[in-house]
């Protein structure tokens, strides 16, 4: 039976906005020139690229004198920042300490683990039960040898929004470089580097309706960061490699849409998320929300359902055409339970029973209503099979 | 690396139709009450294996007649879909068998019964442990029925529970095929090719013995590797009371005997750079030096090994030059 599919896994990836796709198509067709070329084939591309860059600069309120390097994704950006700071700061003077949190994306955590083998000392600040680290925690962890603070703006699993402005100020007050992985907050909440306390910001396009394979790295004017990819003089030498023209155009259009839609859409998405969450909590017994609900991206709900295993829930939801996600993969060799959820201080049995629903601007109220009905059915079936859940 | 490792396979796409059907419509889930057993004049067995915290738990109910024949089996499960499917098949296989026959059902029987065709595994390797759960719960049920300790059913020492491969089989292969690396052992015996927990410490489950230990043992016994001096000399003095050179000697011996052979399998190595009380600072050499992926697991493994062999308070850290 062919069924309508409902996509509630937008923190993993999003649909490419039709406007972004349309904007890209000419560059997968007749406009195939290399913008580095002198001739007309190259020349006709350049003003389109300039426009795309303008949109990306606007998205985060960057100044013209800043560098916003369009790259492949936030993983690349995070590697560029961490490895770059190692080369410019750690290798050249006495500073050899990095502060981050214990719920960062693997592209930050695993790069930090790698830097540890090169002699960098890394402090992994534990999040509180709201799922965030505070500016005070960061301030207390800064020592004379601290080269960089790298704290995500929002977490992918819980949606918890970190007090990034205050953390950035705390780092700045001590003359420490500050980086934030803003991947999960772009297009969901306003993001601005206007107060000039953020030195590096990274983002991924496919989390806000740009295509996969494109992202951006903001480097504040005056801050030095060597390239990760050496090559030609593209991007002012900050990132070698022929311009990924169609992806850059796609990112530009997605950035324009994200900036434009931030207020209206986010009110609407927040209302839908709240409806989903509050209905589940009200109508299905023994459920709860992981992390704090105060400071959260408006599209994310991470809900636990007592007595059912996460992957089984995902399977059942998928059978009904609904895509969601769980941090717990019931497979050997993987993390037994999500490190992000365990970091909140919840028990592994809760972590194993947790499902993340993440909405987007394309999510409709009708979809949420259908999803709610399905969630009820699925949880009832699995609780019936489970012996760890006893009604009553 | 190879093409297969570069593209991750979707786990769900590898489930057989039978697994899918039973995940969606398990026929044997449910409970058997004492009342029902009483009315039918049959003995009720009711056991639980696993826990929610581990992410996998199964409850098995059996109704057994006076001739020790299982008349009915039901299960309940807190687990993923494949755990539900494996439990369902396990329950079905139990029915009609005597208790002793049921004890001979292994996880491999459960998995084979779930195959669509004999050649293709019903689940990917990392999901084999779901069928091991199903097998373990039968053992527990039989032990409960017979009122004996579950240890009574321990067979020849099984190292790889997913593939039910014994220590003897592994040792035989190492000697006969002249194997020297743990990768060769996995290739030749199949042990460790499923969930991977039995290769070396640090996997999904803790084991009594790992492939790296067995390989090491055999290589030493057959004289292909020199005996380390871990068990000589200063053994009886508690580690914490040893002087620095003696501590270092013991650490080096353990590293030589257990850790370095495991790292060597991946063309890596390590050196002890410093020792402060019970904190060992190490530096990787060879391929380990640049390997970010090996870091958490490897560091944990080294620490666990030293804690186990020498002193529980030992911590291992990368050397900060």
């Amino acid at each position: 039976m062919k069924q309508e599919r409902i996509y509630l896994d937008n923190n993993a990836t999003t649909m490419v906005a039709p406007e972004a796709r349309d904007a890209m198509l000419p560059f997968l067709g007749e406009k195939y020139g290399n913008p580095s070329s002198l001739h007309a084939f190259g020349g006709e591309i350049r003003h389109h690229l300039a426009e795309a860059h303008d949109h990306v600069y606007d998205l985060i309120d960057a100044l013209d004198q800043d560098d916003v390097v369009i790259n492949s994704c936030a993983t690349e950006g995070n590697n560029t920042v961490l490895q770059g700071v190692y080369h410019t700061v750690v290798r050249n003077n006495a500073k050899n300490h990095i502060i981050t949190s214990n719920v960062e994306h693997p592209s930050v955590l695993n790069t930090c683990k790698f830097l540890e083998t090169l002699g960098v000392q890394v402090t992994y600040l534990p999040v509180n039960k709201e799922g965030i680290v505070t500016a005070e925690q960061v301030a207390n962890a800064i020592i004379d040898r601290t080269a960089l603070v790298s704290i995500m703006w929002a977490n992918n699993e819980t949606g918890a929004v970190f007090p990034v402005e205050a953390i950035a100020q705390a780092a700045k007050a001590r003359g420490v470089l500050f980086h934030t992985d803003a991947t999960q907050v772009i297009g969901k909440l306003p993001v601005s580097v206007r107060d000039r306390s953020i030195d590096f910001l990274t983002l991924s396009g496919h989390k806000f309706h740009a295509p996969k394979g494109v992202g951006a790295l903001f480097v504040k004017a005056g801050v030095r960061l060597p390239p990760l990819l050496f090559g030609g003089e593209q991007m002012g030498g900050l990132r070698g490699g022929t311009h990924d023209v169609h992806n850059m155009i796609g990112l530009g259009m997605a950035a324009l849409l994200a900036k434009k839609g931030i207020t209206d859409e986010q009110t609407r998405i927040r209302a839908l998320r709240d409806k989903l969450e509050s209905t589940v909590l009200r109508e299905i017994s023994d459920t709860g929300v992981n992390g704090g609900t105060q400071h959260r991206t408006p599209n994310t709900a991470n809900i636990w359902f007592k007595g059912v295993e996460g992957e089984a829930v995902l399977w059942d939801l998928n059978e009904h055409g609904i895509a969601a996600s769980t941090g717990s993969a019931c497979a050997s060799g993987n993390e037994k339970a999500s490190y992000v959820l365990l970091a909140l201080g919840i028990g592994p049995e809760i972590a194993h029973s947790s499902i993340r629903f993440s909405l987007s601007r394309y999510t409709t109220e009708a979809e949420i209503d259908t999803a709610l009905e399905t969630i009820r059915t699925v949880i009832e079936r699995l609780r019936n099979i489970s012996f760890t859940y006893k009604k009553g | 690396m190879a093409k297969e490792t570069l593209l991750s396979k979707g786990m769900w796409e590898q489930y057989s139709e039978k697994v899918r059907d039973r995940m969606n419509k398990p026929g044997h889930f449910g409970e058997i009450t004492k009342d029902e057993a009483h009315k039918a004049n049959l003995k009720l067995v009711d056991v639980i294996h696993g826990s929610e915290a581990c992410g996998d738990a199964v409850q098995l109910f059996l109704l057994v007649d006076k001739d020790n024949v299982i008349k009915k089996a039901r299960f309940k499960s807190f687990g993923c879909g494949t755990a539900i499917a494996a439990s369902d098949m396990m329950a079905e296989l139990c029915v009609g068998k005597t208790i002793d026959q049921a004890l001979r059902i292994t996880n491999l029987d459960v998995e084979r019964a779930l195959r669509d065709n004999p050649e293709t595994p019903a689940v990917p390797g990392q999901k084999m442990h779901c069928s091991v759960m199903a097998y373990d719960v039968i053992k527990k049920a039989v032990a409960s029925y017979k009122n004996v300790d579950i240890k009574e059913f321990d067979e020849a020492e099984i190292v790889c529970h997913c593939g039910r491969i014994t220590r003897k089989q592994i040792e035989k292969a190492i000697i006969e095929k002249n194997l020297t690396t743990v990768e060769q052992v996995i290739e030749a015996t199949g042990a460790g090719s499923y969930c991977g927990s039995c290769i070396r410490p640090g996997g999904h489950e803790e084991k009594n013995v790992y492939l790296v230990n067995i390989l090491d043992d055999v290589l030493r016994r057959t004289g292909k590797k020199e005996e380390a001096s871990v068990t000589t000399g200063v053994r009886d003095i508690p580690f914490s009371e040893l002087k620095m050179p003696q501590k270092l000697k013991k650490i080096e011996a353990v590293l030589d005997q257990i850790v370095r052979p495991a790292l060597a399998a991946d063309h890596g190595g390590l050196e002890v750079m410093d020792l402060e009380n019970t904190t060992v600072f190490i530096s990787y050499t060879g391929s380990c030096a640049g390997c970010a992926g090996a870091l958490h697991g490897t560091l944990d493994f080294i620490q666990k090994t030293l804690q186990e062999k020498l002193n529980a308070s030992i911590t291992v850290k990368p050397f900060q030059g």
Side-chain angles (χ1 to χ4, degrees):
Chain A
M1 182 184 71
K2 186 81 185 150
Q3 58 197 352
E4 286 289 312
R5 298 195 303 177
I6 298 175
Y7 189 74
L8 297 176
D9 197 14
N10 287 281
N11 284 8
T13 197
T14 59
M15 180 179 108
V16 176
E19 296 92 328
R21 185 185 54 215
D22 290 346
M24 291 167 71
L25 285 176
F27 303 92
L28 293 165
E30 74 275 18
K31 291 185 181 167
Y32 58 83
N34 184 335
S36 301
S37 302
L38 297 174
H39 48 64
F41 285 81
E44 69 186 12
I45 308 290
R46 282 194 284 273
H47 73 276
H48 293 288
L49 280 191
E51 201 184 323
H53 275 82
D54 285 346
H55 297 325
V56 181
Y57 270 71
D58 270 357
L59 176 67
I60 57 171
D61 289 339
L63 304 176
D64 284 354
Q65 53 268 39
D66 296 327
D67 294 318
V68 181
V69 180
I70 299 184
N71 57 15
S72 67
C73 58
T75 290
E76 181 190 326
N78 292 339
N79 270 271
T80 310
V81 171
L82 290 160
Q83 296 191 41
V85 168
Y86 171 79
H87 290 300
T88 52
V89 183
V90 177
R91 271 178 55 194
N92 293 326
N93 64 34
K95 291 190 172 188
N96 68 341
H97 177 230
I98 290 176
I99 297 169
T100 187
S101 84
N102 63 349
V103 297
E104 297 294 317
H105 188 264
S107 58
V108 169
L109 290 179
N110 286 337
T111 308
C112 283
K113 297 267 180 213
F114 175 63
L115 294 180
E116 282 184 291
T117 71
L118 302 176
V120 178
Q121 190 196 336
V122 182
T123 300
Y124 302 91
L125 293 174
V127 295
N128 59 23
K129 63 182 194 312
E130 308 268 287
I132 57 167
V133 298
T134 63
E136 195 186 356
Q137 270 178 288
V138 173
N140 290 337
I142 293 176
I143 53 178
D144 290 343
R145 289 185 291 108
T146 305
L148 176 75
V149 172
S150 174
I151 299 285
M152 64 192 347
W153 202 309
N155 182 269
N156 47 317
E157 282 192 49
T158 58
V161 176
F162 290 64
V164 160
E165 285 100 340
I167 293 171
Q169 293 291 349
K172 197 180 179 195
R174 297 285 297 273
V176 176
L177 291 168
F178 179 71
H179 163 238
T180 185
D181 175 356
T183 303
Q184 288 293 339
V185 79
I186 299 282
K188 298 171 186 168
L189 293 169
V191 166
S192 174
V193 296
R194 196 180 300 137
D195 83 351
R196 314 307 291 159
S197 55
I198 295 173
D199 297 291
F200 311 109
L201 179 148
T202 43
L203 60 91
S204 242
H206 73 104
K207 308 284 190 187
F208 61 99
H209 308 291
K212 290 155 193 64
V214 65
L217 158 65
F218 159 85
V219 183
K220 191 172 75 175
V223 177
R224 205 165 73 80
L225 191 70
L228 187 69
L229 302 180
F230 289 92
E233 280 305 302
Q234 297 92 350
M235 303 268 175
L238 291 174
R239 184 182 190 264
T242 299
H243 290 95
D244 190 354
V245 175
H246 60 279
N247 267 335
M248 290 176 157
I249 300 293
L251 183 73
M253 181 53 78
L256 178 70
L257 297 170
K259 180 92 176 180
K260 228 167 52 182
I262 200 93
T263 332
D264 296 354
E265 288 293 329
Q266 292 319 305
T267 326
R268 196 185 65 84
I269 293 171
R270 185 186 297 275
L272 288 183
R273 189 273 313 270
D274 289 349
K275 177 177 182 179
L276 173 75
E277 192 170 89
S278 62
T279 311
V280 165
L281 298 190
R282 195 177 57 241
E283 296 189 357
I284 305 178
S285 56
D286 297 297
T287 51
V289 173
N290 287 312
T293 52
Q294 274 277 303
H295 304 288
R296 209 161 35 137
T297 47
N299 77 320
T300 307
N302 193 311
I303 304 175
W304 53 266
F305 299 86
K306 170 128 188 59
V308 293
E309 194 275 333
E311 194 194 323
V313 178
L314 284 197
W315 173 273
D316 270 28
L317 288 174
N318 186 56
E319 289 288 303
H320 289 87
I322 295 176
S325 140
T326 171
S328 113
C330 173
S332 313
N334 285 358
E335 296 272 40
K336 287 180 187 169
S338 151
Y339 69 95
V340 173
L341 295 185
L342 293 179
L344 299 172
I346 65 172
E349 71 284 358
I350 296 292
H352 281 301
S353 302
S354 297
I355 301 293
R356 179 189 70 188
F357 302 96
S358 47
L359 287 60
S360 85
R361 85 167 70 108
Y362 299 106
T363 308
T364 65
E365 178 146 24
E367 286 180 327
I368 292 298
D369 291 339
T370 308
L372 278 165
E373 211 163 292
T374 307
I375 293 167
R376 275 189 285 259
T377 313
V378 164
I379 299 300
E380 196 183 327
R381 177 182 105 92
L382 291 171
R383 279 186 173 169
N384 205 15
I385 293 174
S386 170
F387 67 96
T388 61
Y389 184 75
K390 299 261 189 276
K391 274 178 223 156
Chain B
M1 296 288 269
K3 193 156 96 186
E4 207 174 299
T5 55
L6 296 178
L7 285 167
S8 55
K9 273 195 209 159
M11 198 165 62
W12 286 359
E13 279 78 56
Q14 297 173 66
Y15 296 166
S16 71
E17 284 305 319
K18 283 186 185 162
V19 167
R20 290 162 183 275
D21 287 348
R22 282 173 192 266
M23 283 160 72
N24 293 334
K25 293 189 197 73
H28 297 80
F29 85 90
E31 291 176 342
I32 302 174
T33 60
K34 279 184 187 150
D35 209 33
E36 183 183 346
H38 186 73
K39 275 180 191 151
N41 199 18
L42 295 168
K43 188 171 174 183
L44 175 65
V45 183
D46 169 4
V47 290
I48 288 175
H49 183 62
S51 79
E52 275 181 298
C54 302
D56 216 343
V58 57
Q59 182 172 23
L60 178 63
F61 302 87
L62 299 177
L63 277 186
V64 189
D65 72 8
K66 58 182 185 335
D67 299 324
N68 299 327
V69 176
I70 299 167
K71 305 304 277 186
K72 186 175 175 182
R74 287 286 178 269
F75 78 94
K76 290 228 140 189
S77 166
F78 171 94
C80 61
T82 50
I84 293 171
S87 305
D88 196 50
M89 181 53 86
M90 171 268 297
E92 184 171 313
L93 292 176
C94 284
V95 178
K97 292 194 170 63
T98 65
I99 280 285
D100 286 325
Q101 287 167 337
L103 187 58
R104 289 198 288 274
I105 300 170
T106 70
N107 68 304
L108 296 182
D109 297 324
V110 172
E111 189 269 325
R112 264 187 223 113
L114 287 167
R115 292 185 183 192
D116 294 335
N117 70 63
E119 304 303 315
T120 315
V123 291
Q126 70 263 38
K127 282 289 187 181
M128 272 302 276
H129 75 116
C130 292
S131 65
V132 176
M133 291 280 298
Y135 166 63
D136 286 342
V137 80
I138 299 179
K139 276 207 295 192
K140 214 161 177 177
V142 174
S144 160
Y145 179 77
K146 293 189 162 186
N147 201 16
V148 296
D149 194 299
I150 193 163
K151 289 205 184 86
E152 300 231 338
F153 307 137
D154 278 349
E155 317 114 291
E157 191 184 354
I158 289 182
V159 178
C160 170
H161 285 89
C162 295
R164 290 186 63 75
I165 298 158
T166 62
R167 180 167 187 138
K168 250 199 189 117
Q169 288 171 291
I170 294 165
E171 290 189 343
K172 191 162 171 260
I174 295 171
I175 294 166
E176 285 178 358
K177 298 184 178 160
N178 216 357
L179 309 177
T180 54
T181 69
V182 74
E183 280 70 23
Q184 291 170 346
V185 176
I186 296 167
E187 170 92 33
T189 64
S193 65
Y194 302 89
C195 78
S197 295
C198 63
I199 301 173
R200 54 177 66 90
H204 182 72
E205 285 170 63
E206 264 189 58
K207 301 273 179 182
N208 296 327
V209 65
Y210 298 89
L211 297 182
V212 288
N213 309 128
I214 297 172
L215 176 65
D216 202 50
D217 272 3
V218 174
L219 293 182
R220 278 175 212 295
R221 274 209 317 266
T222 54
K224 288 181 185 142
K225 216 170 196 180
E226 303 238 324
E227 195 71 41
S229 57
V230 65
T231 53
T232 58
V234 286
R235 181 171 196 180
D236 296 326
I237 306 166
F239 181 81
S240 53
E241 289 166 27
L242 293 177
K243 297 221 166 59
M244 181 78 112
Q246 293 170 321
K247 274 187 184 169
L248 271 175
K249 196 177 163 193
K250 289 203 112 181
I251 290 167
E252 285 291 346
V254 173
L255 293 178
D256 275 347
Q257 195 169 321
I258 299 165
V259 178
R260 289 198 174 103
L263 297 187
D266 296 318
H267 306 290
L270 74 95
E271 276 176 40
V272 176
M273 303 301 285
D274 203 356
L275 178 66
E276 275 178 31
N277 299 318
T278 55
T279 306
V280 185
F281 292 91
I282 60 146
S283 180
Y284 288 112
T285 59
S287 64
C288 292
C291 176
L295 278 167
H296 353 232
T298 309
L299 214 57
D300 282 355
F301 158 50
I302 298 166
Q303 183 167 301
K304 241 188 217 161
T305 308
L306 290 174
Q307 285 173 347
E308 222 166 76
K309 297 285 172 197
L310 300 174
N311 185 298
S313 59
I314 290 178
T315 53
V316 177
K317 290 186 174 164
F319 179 65
Q320 322 261 337

